[in-house]
Amino acid sequence: MNIHEYQAKELLAKFGVPVPAGHAALTVDEAVFAAAQLPGPLYVVKSQIHAGGRGKGKFKELGPDAKGGVRLARSADEVRAAATDMLGNTLVTIQTGPEGKQVNRLYVTDGVDIDREFYLALLVDRATGRIAVVVSTEGGMDIEAVAHDTPDKIETITIDPATGIMPHHGRAVAGALGLTGDLAKQAASVLSKVYDAFVGSDASQIEINPLAIADGRLMVLDAKISFDSNAMFRHKDLLALRDESEEEASEIEASKYDLAYIKLDGDIGCMVNGAGLAMATMDIIKLNGMFPANFLDVGGGANREKVTAAFKIILSDPAVKGILVNIFGGIMRCDIIAEGIIAAAKDVNLSVPLVVRLEGTNVAEGKAILANSGLPIVAANDLGDAARKIVAEVKNAA
């Protein structure tokens, strides 16, 4: 689960992390009022979407010469003009894709005098089972570009969850950023508080870019936080921060049935159990000349209701021209899956080709159920056979 920048800063501030004063706004008048509550005379008006690169982004409706999604303003009139340009318009950045995202919220913050910018992120390092602290002196820019062009300017420090944050971690971060004296102490303090926020909120990522020396002290000028969705039952307050307007409607619907679903740009809908098998299924579809329309993992405990919901979600995408079901029944029984497939096909009045590959527990019973269903379901013997058949079926139907 992701949240907006202003929500991330509000959360970090609760843990004592220094952030500039700022207020969210949903309307132009609210943006002007928000600026009036700040010291000024410099303000920053920031589009709030779940994507990076907002400052360099462009609004579809304003033309290529218009300013981006993060703007400086020096008066109420300039705040109003910036807010008018942004709200309701579509911001296209390097992370949104060409379709962009509509801006429905703004964040108006106090402008600060920036001396130096750094990068700081906390991530879960699954290889070591520790929290990784990634730091760089190259803040305020695309960290992927830094990693590609000057990887020596990125340092990684790991924190053992058994010991938690220790003084030497703070000294290591300060050293990596070239900070001494009081600024080194501030760096250690910021790291400790960000670590507390990371653990306390069950975050999967906290990215601060930039962490800046502003007005003589370290301050978080931009922040992104992602949470472990599996832990949200412990954080009802954080769950309330979810902005569903930033998510695909189909992905929201999938989450209601505990389905792992991600919409893609292809034309073959996929329903699979297991993330690894889903990735392999998408790869082999592409190998056979077409592209997957989605990633959909129904999990190991799928039942008839979940399978039916999965079919409806796949078919809600008008780009889908065929469906490939690839199930390996371990905990999941193939006969239950077959019954769900038939029920779903009848319920949604299936009108696109459907290829099913079943293997595992009760596979003979499952195949018999499909064969006797009276529906035009094409059976496949293995994954390669399934991919070839669904591609052929779609091309024949075109």
Side-chain angles (χ1 to χ4, degrees):
M1 191 187 88
N2 299 313
I3 58 176
H4 289 291
E5 173 198 354
Y6 77 91
Q7 295 168 323
K9 285 184 176 177
E10 288 172 356
L11 175 61
L12 291 174
K14 290 179 181 178
F15 285 87
V17 179
V19 301
H23 304 281
L26 300 178
T27 67
V28 173
D29 287 340
E30 285 183 8
V32 175
F33 180 77
Q37 311 310 305
L38 300 173
L42 182 64
Y43 313 100
V44 186
V45 184
K46 312 181 81 172
S47 300
Q48 297 295 283
I49 58 173
H50 287 176
R54 292 166 293 159
K56 295 180 180 179
K58 296 295 181 182
F59 287 94
K60 279 186 176 181
E61 296 82 357
L62 302 182
D65 297 327
K67 295 179 180 179
V70 178
R71 304 185 189 178
L72 296 178
R74 292 175 172 79
S75 67
D77 287 343
E78 289 186 6
V79 171
R80 180 176 294 278
T84 301
D85 276 354
M86 295 179 186
L87 283 171
N89 285 333
T90 307
L91 181 60
V92 179
T93 79
I94 57 172
Q95 293 188 10
T96 65
E99 68 279 4
K101 285 194 173 187
Q102 181 173 301
V103 176
N104 299 313
R105 306 183 189 202
L106 300 176
Y107 186 35
V108 183
T109 72
D110 196 29
V112 294
D113 185 14
I114 300 173
D115 182 20
R116 294 169 61 190
E117 295 181 324
F118 310 108
Y119 177 91
L120 171 67
L122 271 66
L123 311 162
V124 177
D125 184 349
R126 301 190 184 279
T128 63
R130 299 186 176 193
I131 294 173
V133 181
V134 182
V135 292
S136 175
T137 55
E138 306 303 297
M141 56 188 296
D142 183 357
I143 194 63
E144 287 82 5
V146 177
H148 181 270
D149 299 334
T150 53
D152 56 300
K153 293 185 177 181
I154 297 177
E155 292 194 31
T156 301
I157 302 155
T158 59
I159 301 176
D160 190 332
T163 63
I165 193 80
M166 301 289 284
H168 68 85
H169 294 123
R171 292 193 295 270
V173 167
L177 298 180
L179 300 176
T180 59
D182 183 61
L183 286 173
K185 294 178 181 178
Q186 289 185 43
S189 175
V190 168
L191 174 64
S192 178
K193 291 169 180 176
V194 173
Y195 178 86
D196 289 343
F198 189 95
V199 175
S201 63
D202 283 305
S204 56
Q205 171 183 297
I206 295 182
E207 184 180 42
I208 297 170
N209 189 18
L211 172 69
I213 302 175
D215 297 330
R217 65 189 183 113
L218 277 181
M219 190 175 296
V220 172
L221 299 190
D222 199 354
K224 174 183 177 181
I225 302 182
S226 300
F227 303 100
D228 180 355
S229 298
N230 294 315
M232 285 301 96
F233 70 93
R234 290 198 289 258
H235 303 281
K236 303 299 183 185
D237 56 330
L238 298 179
L239 195 58
L241 300 179
R242 182 181 182 185
D243 181 2
E244 293 189 349
S245 70
E246 289 288 319
E247 303 175 34
E248 285 282 350
S250 53
E251 294 178 13
I252 296 171
E253 183 66 17
S255 68
K256 296 176 183 178
Y257 295 91
D258 197 27
L259 298 168
Y261 175 88
I262 301 172
K263 186 181 182 302
L264 302 173
D265 296 329
D267 34 31
I268 304 294
C270 306
M271 187 178 80
V272 187
N273 66 320
L277 190 61
M279 296 296 288
T281 302
M282 293 191 294
D283 284 345
I284 203 164
I285 288 172
K286 187 173 181 180
L287 184 65
N288 281 271
M290 299 194 80
F291 294 88
N294 63 269
F295 171 102
L296 196 157
D297 176 10
V298 296
N303 52 30
R304 177 170 169 167
E305 180 186 25
K306 287 181 71 171
V307 172
T308 303
F311 261 87
K312 289 182 177 180
I313 292 166
I314 291 172
L315 289 171
S316 69
D317 181 357
V320 169
K321 300 175 182 177
I323 299 176
L324 172 56
V325 177
N326 184 21
I327 300 294
F328 183 84
I331 299 173
M332 182 184 298
R333 289 166 41 192
C334 291
D335 54 334
I336 296 296
I337 290 296
E339 291 174 356
I341 291 171
I342 293 169
K346 292 179 178 178
D347 193 26
V348 302
N349 192 24
L350 186 66
S351 58
V352 298
L354 171 61
V355 173
V356 179
R357 179 255 183 168
L358 297 177
E359 192 57 73
T361 306
N362 289 1
V363 63
E365 292 90 335
K367 288 182 175 180
I369 290 171
L370 293 177
N372 297 325
S373 67
L375 296 174
I377 299 173
V378 178
N381 297 319
D382 54 43
L383 181 50
D385 183 44
R388 288 188 292 271
K389 284 181 175 177
I390 189 59
V391 169
E393 289 286 330
V394 169
K395 289 182 177 179
N396 290 337

